[in-house]
Amino acid sequence: MKNRTLIKDIIIRLLGFVLAMFVLSVVVFYFARLAPGDPLQSFYGDATESMTSAELHAARVRLGLDAPIYIQYIKWFGNALGGDFGLSLKYKMPAMKVVSPLIGNTLILGSTAYVLVFALATGLAIACAANEDSLFDRAVCKIGTAAYYIPAFWLGVVLVLIFSINLKVLPSSGAYDIGKSGDVLNRIRHMILPLIVMILSHLWYYAYMIRNKLLDEIRKDYVLLAKSKGLNKREIIFHHCLRNVAPTIISIMAISIPHVLSGTYIAESVFNYPGLGSLSVESAKYHDYNLLMILVLITGFLVIFSSIIAKTINEIIDPRMKDSEVSAWQR
Amino acid sequence: MAEINSFKLVGTEYKTYVPCVKKIPFCKKLKGKPIISAIILAVIIFGCVFAEKVGNHNPTEFYLQNLNTAPNSEFYFGTDSLGRDIFSMIWYGGRVSIAIGLMSMVIISVIGITYGCISGVSGEKVDAIMMRTAEIGNSIPSILLVILIMSVMGEENIFKISFVIGISGWFALARIVRSEVRQIRNSDYVLSAKTMGVGFFSIMIFHLIPNFVSSIMFVIVSSISSSIAMESTLSFLGLGLPVDVISWGSMLSLANKALLLNTWWVIIIPGLFLMVTLNCITNIGSFFRKETNRKHSNL
Amino acid sequence: MENILEIKNLSLSFYTPSGEIEALRNINLQLGKGEILGIVGESGCGKTVLSKTVLRLLPKNAKIKNGEILLNGKDIVPYSESKMRGLRGSVMSMVFQDPMTTLNPTIPIGKQITESILKHSNIKYNEAKKQAIEMLDMVGIDSPEKRFAMQPHFFSGGMRQRCVLAIALASKPEILFADEPTTALDVTVQAKILDILLKIRDETRISIVFITHDFGVVARIADRIAVMYAGKIVEVGKTEEIFYDPRHPYTWGLLSSLPYFAKKGEPLKCIPGMPPVMMNLPKGDVFATRNKYALDIDYEKEPPIFDITDTHKAATWLLDKRAPKIKPPKFFGGECHE
Amino acid sequence: MNDILSVHNLVQHFKINSGLTINAVNGISFDVKKGEIFGLVGESGCGKSTVAKSIMGLYSLTSGEIYFKGNMISDRKIYRKNKDDIHKNMQIIFQDSSSALNPRMTIEKIIREPLKANNMYDKTKSEKQIDELLRQVGLDVSFRQKYPGEISGGQRQRVAIARSIALSPELIIADEPIASLDISIQAQIINLFQKLQREYGFSFIFIAHDLSIVRFLCNRVAVMVKGRIVETAPTEVLFENPLHPYTKSLLSAIPVPDPKIRNSKFIDYNEKELNDNGILKEVCPQHFVYM
Amino acid sequence: GQSTSSSATTSAPSSSVSSGTTDKTLDLSDLSNTLVYAGESESTINPILNTHDEITDIIFSGLMKYDGDGTPICDLAESYTYDDPTLTYTFKLRDGVKWHDGTPFTADDVVYTYDVLFKDKTLSASITSNYKDIESVTAPDEKTVVIKLKQYNAAMLGYFTIGILPKHLTEGQDINTMPFNQAPVGTGRYKFVKWDTAGGMIILEANKDYYGKVPNIERIIYKTVAVESTKATMLQSGEADLAWLNAKYADSFRNNDNFKNIDFKTADYRGISMDCSTDFWKQNADSIGVLNYAIDKDSVVKSVLAGRGVAAYSPIQLNAYGGNKDADIYSYDLNKFAEEMDKLGWKKGSDGIYERNGQKFHFTIQVRDYEEERVDIANVCASQLKKAGVDMEVVLVSKFDWDAGYNGFLSGYAAQFDPDMCYSNFVTDASENLMHYSNSKVDELLEKARHTENPDERKELYHQFEKVYAENPGIVLIAFLDGNYVSIKGLSGLDTTRVLGHHARGVMWNIEDWTLNR
Ligand SMILES: Nc1ncnc2c1ncn2[C@@H]1O[C@H](COP(=O)(O)OP(=O)(O)OP(=O)(O)O)[C@@H](O)[C@H]1O
Ligand SMILES: Nc1ncnc2c1ncn2[C@@H]1O[C@H](COP(=O)(O)OP(=O)(O)OP(=O)(O)O)[C@@H](O)[C@H]1O
Ligand SMILES: [Mg+2]
Ligand SMILES: [Mg+2]
């Protein structure tokens, strides 16, 4: 019985997931095409500037850009089901092929930043919450906010100036040195500056959120009960409070993926780090539809999927989440 | 007081008791309030509003005889590589940036709160659909979303940029509002308002919003900051305002170029202004947050 | 009877931005071993603060201004936080006012109990679990093995309050502070919990400070009663003394407002007005403005504590020799002396 | 027809998810006469508040009928048709005074709201009326500008009462209005209720778990267990001659403020004894017991 | 003749990559003779899609190539003859030329490539229009190619420099989307080894079997960089050895001992091109030229270009055939401007902007945002014009939008080789005449110059063109940019005699002579 509902739940969620991805694809597909501007520019580059309208029309027909959008979508959808996501207009090769070598780079950078941001944020939040209003807490709050508002791109350039140009200790660009694609240490060296930028520009946002959540939590009555049992601060925070904010942290983590990815994009363009970021910005700017679709679907997938996972984990941690209360507003 | 009278039965309210309320000194009242932030912010806003009076040069003028001059008595903050006066630009740019921040904030608040309230009071299904929709919107990285919307909107101006930033930034707020509304929608005062026949929008305005506004205050105030920051990022990516509109964002992207040219004033000054302003706004925002949570820690 | 806990001249204030709140004023109290002391008083009179002070669970803005808290003869006021931690749970524990919020919602009940056991003894987890299940059984939760792994969410209010009780008792403390443990519950559950407390007291000789504002409840459970008003103990005595021979006008007021003593069709008697906010207190007796029997001096000077018997004390000028003789209200058909 | 409200076979189930439905109210029926104080007692969670809220139209009913002044307001259409009448003439007072008043509205705004919502607001007249209402519940005019957080629980409860009588409703449902208050304040509120009922002839449904007050205040009492009414009778009859074992248990649980009676036995009632398909039988005139 | 590997400089330990593109054996441990070039981002490497790209130029070779002066000389062709009466070029191809994959190069490849240029409908006209004068391309034998023209075209020889594609690898495929574009095989000095997208680089290696001089530098790593300033930081942090920078960035390297500044002249000019088909210019075409008086071009050069460039007066000013001083008829003179405007009937309105026939002198130009210098030039010009009373509105776009009705755009063109390169810009309805400029005199002169054989006559015609155009321009020419390359100290051999093209392309024209000494 219990198992059946569990399976049912999972199936419903998966269906919801598929539906969400579908809607996302429709929305982006339409949206991208609504934008004025000529996708052929990506394809022909500057040459479009001198193409006659007949030429342009012929090119459009060839690339299937002349059909009504819904026909284009149906076609795209059919092909996508078969794993063919179409041609990147700018790179003139299958969009999948453009993306696949870069996915690794972005995922490595993004996920490292993601993990570090949340690990550090949680640590910092705990340290601050445990010593609320102490000198440490206040100092961290001030420094944190200040750091958070340093524009990422600006910080990136300053770091390059210091570490790459003046001290010459860290590389300023790229994902790895020439011929060192397999060298982990080398990759790490290249990631240090982008990571610093990403961490600094996200850390405090989340640390502060978690800190406040923790502060709310340590004001709850059960903390007193725990204290009256004779537990010490550390035990209370780690065994009680943290557990209760975990669902919040997990939800925050789930919805923060696009935020962190945005950060990755900026870091990538500052550090000329080959990845999906610059590709995305480019594809949106230059109407490289199929490439854009794939990129949005990738992030959409990550976000929607992780929010489903987060929800499931949270229900295990905190069964209250599952009960939906009936609203008196239904009438 | 004579002892003799002391033991007379006099009963209640014999003497109206006036509590001796101690006057709290003015400086103590201000304690904990972000005064410094407020003052700095006021100065900056004042400067921006009266940019024409404050600035001593035309911010759009290229003083081609004064390229890259360090701060001096004529150009207080120096000039950039095209001879523009940083001091004047700061005030004009601040005006644009702050306007963008405020307008985006208004858009974010209006959409986020309304959407969140509706989703919050709706039943299971509508709520789920509304939240999924927001989630889908949110799953596109904001920069991408802004680029997309912007390319649909065409030519940029301050209003459009604010609109775009606002339109792509309300998801988080809607989520928070929704969960706040869910917490209070079945509270007795809302229910009794309903039973007395108060309409939905009245309930939203008089009952729902005032009761969660303090908990979203921080989000709202910091949305000003993040909108300003977003505009500067867009400028950096070359997607910002038209070139002749100066904003702190566009000045920062100048700074980016100036790094290689060793003109520190072009680099430091706009960044400093931006950071100080954002920090002040945030300080004030977190003050509101703290206000709502006066309880003491149990630890 | 030896006193396990003795509070002497205890005063405590909260320092808030708007001023000093004198939450406790010159409290003197003894608690004997195996005794149940009821503390009654209106909301906000400082009952919770008193028990939290003993356990030192107050927020940072609370300061003990003077006084001693003698636990087994030793003053614990100067104790450090870590020393206090050693006492909490093992020597003293507390049941908090609101059962709905005092349990950690995400941790299974069993774990919350064993945590307390494991903290204060070095037994194995399995042993602790066994004890915890016994505890749950003792406070009257059926099928405790099954309930052991459930989260508080699945429990009703009454059950939760029992779980809190189980947690408080699990580490076998010598003193239990029960802060309105039944106020939020309905009468049947309340009756059950009172029975459990009495049973435990009889079995373990634990001392209990039972806080409530319900005279019916103290009548049932307490050996002695202390009546609090505005941070002060205004009357203390054996249960019988308080019920059959109350001396303080405040006690009279409380008793007379009970519907039990009311006649149908007549309005209930009540104490007029509201309890004061304990900031900027007036001089004299704080209760004076609500006191039908207030004397002139009440508005000028705080009454001292008068001993009526060895065990019965009250702080009212009415007990002074110079005071006019007053006919106190009657509660138990003429049984009221004097 | 002197029933202001009658409830027939009210059933209210809450579907939590596919696996779990909470049967909060399982088919109860009762009538409230004009000018009567009808008591509803029962342990926590037996569905008292749900009944109150269902009557107020805050839930959509699972089944059953509710008649207010002869109109079947459980039907949506009829409810809508009589919406204004219902909003005006049926009011609810909640248990927790701190949550029943919007903490961000001043007292006067709170009391003004029902007037405004029902288009009965008239600047000069209504402002006077607000003063009058405050006076009636024993608060003075200085309270108008205060916020609920600045006044005590008893005062808040009075404000809630003032709000609910602002429209001079015919029926007030008081859902445990005194459970969260001190004894001394309890007495003040009870007196207020009595006075209002006497002076204005409101009908009350008074929900409580404290039987001593019910006995003092109510004309008729119904005892609820697990979403069912198990016994209903005029107050004195019920207290003198409780028939249902649960009622007996309840009565025995009333704490008596007399140390001498402290050892009286509390009768534990096992809810499992309640059979699912009994009916209310009239054992004596007006005295119904569930069997 | 055949050249064997004779790299004189470093005795580089021969890396095991010899032929083919098997990147598994790629050994990049020794980088001492590897040049790292910071370039722009690339999507395809194909001489037909990317005419005159640095990489395509060195991987592929054409029948002809340009020498340092920009005159076409033989490359894949060993020799050629031109038969005037029959308008026929006959190319004798080199012997023993091999594609990088080892397959021999034949005349078939040439015929195939030119066939693609004529026949492939997917190619844009800007590429194919240069070859419109060709009637047929045939290969009588393996080593001979015969190209017959419809009419004489002086620039034709230059157009034969287009790189030749290998027929055996590309035939029958869609030229735009074939995988070959990302793994090209050519006959040029360097061969393609690997496109490392994840590392953001393209790896090329010297072609040891090259028929000409085998380059000294063994390997070139072309890094794809999107942001201009990044190229500068890469140089500074030692991640790149050579890069083209804008004038200001390049200036920051000038006094640094570790770097060399190599400043080329380029034929690349920036100007404000007016779209003459828009209503505003239709009505006010007479008022384009006067704008030149209101723009202080020298100070633009000084400020925006840090002095690295020259003020422009003619589109072919730096071409061997151009540079007629008589065409320099405008000078910066606001009084003169006011006078001329007055003559044209413009009157200043109350807001200080000129008006004529109820119309304000207000027009919009679109500027692509990815090139900092363009944006700056547009802004400075706009502000100067504003002071003079002309309202030029600058709109930043990420790509040009021809349908949005802008009155003009900030353009950049270069005619670095044959002056005929400007034909398509200025002749009425020519393929790259985006400003819809039409001037019968200009049409006539350019048409005539194109078909004139005698260089002196041609020069005269172009000088006339310059003058005629200056009097009635469609572009307000601003400046010619310098090509500012910066390299590490150890790189030598770059030859600045060549005038570079648009975006300073063509720096690698003599790459085989470069040496790297770290
Ligand atoms: N943290 C605090 N800061 C400031 N004042 C406080 C604090 N905690 C309690 N007080 C004040 O101390 C007084 C006593 O509070 P306490 O909670 O002990 O009352 P109580 O007798 O337990 O009332 P109740 O029956 O409502 O629980 C109140 O006036 C309250 O305002
Ligand atoms: N909106 C709701 N959704 C789901 N279950 C509900 C809802 N409201 C009430 N219930 C459930 O219905 C049952 C009856 O609740 P109700 O609040 O009516 O009890 P009550 O008799 O008023 O209790 P109390 O004395 O504690 O107020 C409870 O088990 C409760 O959990
Ligand atoms: Mg308390
Ligand atoms: Mg209830």
Side-chain angles (χ1 to χ4, degrees), chain E residues 104-158:
Chain E
F105 161 79
T106 68
D108 267 358
D109 293 313
V110 180
V111 175
Y112 161 76
T113 303
Y114 283 89
D115 250 15
V116 169
L117 277 171
F118 304 144
K119 296 200 183 125
D120 197 317
K121 290 277 175 296
T122 64
L123 292 174
S124 78
S126 59
I127 301 153
T128 56
S129 63
N130 292 342
Y131 303 90
K132 275 202 301 232
D133 285 335
I134 296 181
E135 175 145 322
S136 67
V137 180
T138 48
D141 66 62
E142 280 230 324
K143 294 285 160 237
T144 315
V145 175
V146 177
I147 300 180
K148 195 168 155 33
L149 304 187
K150 293 175 191 152
Q151 60 181 343
Y152 178 76
N153 185 327
M156 208 60 208
L157 216 41

Side-chain angles (χ1 to χ4, degrees), chain C residues 14 16 21 23 42-49 59 61 97 180 278:
Chain C
F14 290 103
T16 66
I21 295 176
E42 280 172 292
S43 185
C45 67
K47 308 182 294 288
T48 304
V49 171
N61 67 337
Q97 212 160 345
E180 314 205 15
M278 285 180 285

Side-chain angles (χ1 to χ4, degrees), chain C residues 42-43 186 222 244 268 271, chain D residues 44 182 184 191 258 260 262:
Chain C
E42 280 172 292
S43 185
D186 57 71
Y244 302 134
L268 293 171
I271 310 175
Chain D
S44 171
D182 281 348
S184 57
N191 288 345
D258 184 350
K260 284 213 180 103
R262 63 159 42 154

Side-chain angles (χ1 to χ4, degrees), chain C residues 58-78:
Chain C
L58 289 171
K60 289 198 189 81
N61 67 337
K63 288 237 159 46
I64 295 179
K65 292 209 305 203
N66 66 315
E68 296 171 359
I69 301 171
L70 304 173
L71 184 70
N72 289 319
K74 258 189 253 142
D75 185 11
I76 60 169
V77 171

Side-chain angles (χ1 to χ4, degrees), chain E residues 82-325:
Chain E
Y82 176 60
D83 181 41
D84 200 22
T86 54
L87 300 168
T88 305
Y89 284 97
T90 308
F91 292 93
K92 196 93 205 107
L93 300 186
R94 266 178 207 270
D95 258 343
V97 177
K98 280 198 182 124
W99 292 102
H100 294 151
D101 66 354
T103 320
F105 161 79
T106 68
D108 267 358
D109 293 313
V110 180
V111 175
Y112 161 76
T113 303
Y114 283 89
D115 250 15
V116 169
L117 277 171
F118 304 144
K119 296 200 183 125
D120 197 317
K121 290 277 175 296
T122 64
L123 292 174
S124 78
S126 59
I127 301 153
T128 56
S129 63
N130 292 342
Y131 303 90
K132 275 202 301 232
D133 285 335
I134 296 181
E135 175 145 322
S136 67
V137 180
T138 48
D141 66 62
E142 280 230 324
K143 294 285 160 237
T144 315
V145 175
V146 177
I147 300 180
K148 195 168 155 33
L149 304 187
K150 293 175 191 152
Q151 60 181 343
Y152 178 76
N153 185 327
M156 208 60 208
L157 216 41
Y159 298 141
F160 292 143
T161 55
I162 192 160
I164 302 299
L165 287 174
K167 183 181 181 188
H168 65 287
L169 292 175
T170 58
E171 192 177 19
Q173 299 181 51
D174 181 346
I175 184 139
N176 280 300
T177 59
M178 60 188 178
F180 175 85
N181 293 339
Q182 283 83 36
V185 171
T187 50
R189 293 159 283 183
Y190 281 87
K191 58 187 176 191
F192 172 89
V193 178
K194 187 181 176 193
W195 193 325
D196 182 359
T197 333
M201 53 189 132
I202 301 166
I203 303 168
L204 309 176
E205 242 162 42
N207 178 9
K208 301 262 159 65
D209 299 330
Y210 185 57
Y211 49 84
K213 179 171 188 260
V214 172
N216 301 322
I217 296 173
E218 196 181 332
R219 194 184 290 116
I220 291 182
I221 299 216
Y222 183 99
K223 287 206 174 170
T224 50
V225 184
V227 181
E228 221 169 340
S229 61
T230 310
K231 293 198 281 188
T233 55
M234 282 169 76
L235 271 173
Q236 271 177 324
S237 63
E239 287 159 84
D241 304 327
L242 175 65
W244 168 60
L245 301 180
N246 73 30
K248 281 182 184 154
Y249 293 159
D251 260 6
S252 66
F253 288 86
R254 288 214 188 257
N255 297 317
N256 192 327
D257 283 345
N258 298 321
F259 296 98
K260 263 192 206 166
N261 279 75
I262 306 128
D263 300 316
F264 286 82
K265 283 276 163 241
T266 76
D268 192 14
Y269 64 84
R270 295 288 173 272
I272 304 164
S273 292
M274 308 306 178
D275 185 342
C276 302
S277 68
T278 56
D279 286 343
F280 183 82
W281 292 121
K282 267 187 196 155
Q283 289 157 27
N284 303 305
D286 55 343
S287 312
I288 297 177
V290 284
L291 296 177
N292 283 297
Y293 288 118
I295 295 173
D296 183 357
K297 296 176 188 174
D298 286 322
S299 75
V300 171
V301 170
K302 211 183 107 222
S303 63
V304 179
L305 303 179
R308 306 281 156 194
V310 294
Y313 58 85
S314 144
I316 50 172
Q317 192 174 338
L318 293 183
N319 194 285
Y321 287 84
N324 180 3
K325 283 273 182 306

Side-chain angles (χ1 to χ4, degrees), chain C residues 30-302:
Chain C
Q30 293 87 35
L31 177 68
K33 194 151 180 57
E35 185 185 36
I36 299 184
L37 171 69
I39 298 184
V40 278
E42 280 172 292
S43 185
C45 67
K47 308 182 294 288
T48 304
V49 171
L50 177 59
S51 44
K52 281 188 184 168
T53 309
V54 178
L55 275 110
R56 189 100 56 84
L57 290 176
L58 289 171
K60 289 198 189 81
N61 67 337
K63 288 237 159 46
I64 295 179
K65 292 209 305 203
N66 66 315
E68 296 171 359
I69 301 171
L70 304 173
L71 184 70
N72 289 319
K74 258 189 253 142
D75 185 11
I76 60 169
V77 171
Y79 272 27
S80 68
E81 171 62 26
S82 63
K83 237 170 158 182
M84 280 309 294
R85 214 181 290 134
L87 296 178
R88 280 184 218 131
S90 59
V91 181
M92 308 180 280
S93 57
M94 183 158 174
V95 175
F96 293 90
Q97 212 160 345
D98 187 355
M100 299 317 226
T101 58
T102 43
L103 287 170
N104 189 332
T106 60
I107 299 184
I109 286 294
K111 184 147 182 279
Q112 299 196 40
I113 301 176
T114 51
E115 192 179 41
S116 158
I117 299 173
L118 291 169
K119 183 79 196 174
H120 296 286
S121 55
N122 31 17
I123 51 174
K124 290 250 164 47
Y125 176 78
N126 279 344
E127 178 61 22
K129 181 173 172 179
K130 227 176 79 198
Q131 281 186 21
I133 291 174
E134 271 167 30
M135 242 25 253
L136 285 174
D137 194 38
M138 184 167 84
V139 296
I141 285 185
D142 45 34
S143 52
E145 293 88 358
K146 234 167 64 193
R147 297 274 179 180
F148 183 85
M150 287 166 101
Q151 280 147 325
H153 169 63
F154 298 103
F155 289 57
S156 72
M159 282 158 92
R160 279 189 222 188
Q161 190 62 289
R162 286 182 232 189
C163 292
V164 178
L165 199 57
I167 292 172
L169 295 172
S171 48
K172 311 225 156 46
E174 295 167 43
I175 309 174
L176 175 70
F177 290 88
D179 185 6
E180 314 205 15
T182 58
T183 306
L185 306 176
D186 57 71
V187 274
T188 48
V189 181
Q190 167 171 298
K192 284 179 208 165
I193 286 186
L194 295 185
D195 280 355
I196 292 164
L197 278 178
L198 283 169
K199 197 177 94 200
I200 290 167
R201 195 267 304 262
D202 293 339
E203 280 166 12
T204 63
R205 301 299 300 153
I206 188 174
S207 311
I208 299 176
V209 175
F210 193 99
I211 296 170
T212 179
H213 58 234
D214 189 338
F215 270 93
V217 173
V218 271
R220 189 177 185 110
I221 193 167
D223 301 321
R224 275 193 319 130
I225 295 175
V227 182
M228 272 185 90
Y229 184 75
K232 261 185 103 148
I233 291 186
V234 292
E235 185 166 5
V236 60
K238 290 222 171 72
T239 307
E240 289 77 14
E241 289 170 330
I242 298 291
F243 274 92
Y244 302 134
D245 182 20
R247 290 304 182 92
H248 197 282
Y250 180 62
T251 318
W252 296 339
L254 286 181
L255 283 171
S256 55
S257 56
L258 293 172
Y260 183 83
F261 296 113
K263 294 204 180 61
K264 193 150 184 161
E266 271 174 34
L268 293 171
K269 295 200 184 67
C270 52
I271 310 175
M274 293 289 154
V277 182
M278 285 180 285
M279 207 187 308
N280 305 322
L281 287 171
K283 61 179 177 178
D285 188 356
V286 186
F287 185 55
T289 50
R290 301 175 69 192
N291 184 0
K292 214 160 68 174
Y293 305 100
L295 305 178
D296 195 0
I297 189 170
D298 276 319
Y299 289 89
E300 296 300 328
K301 201 164 166 209
E302 278 212 76

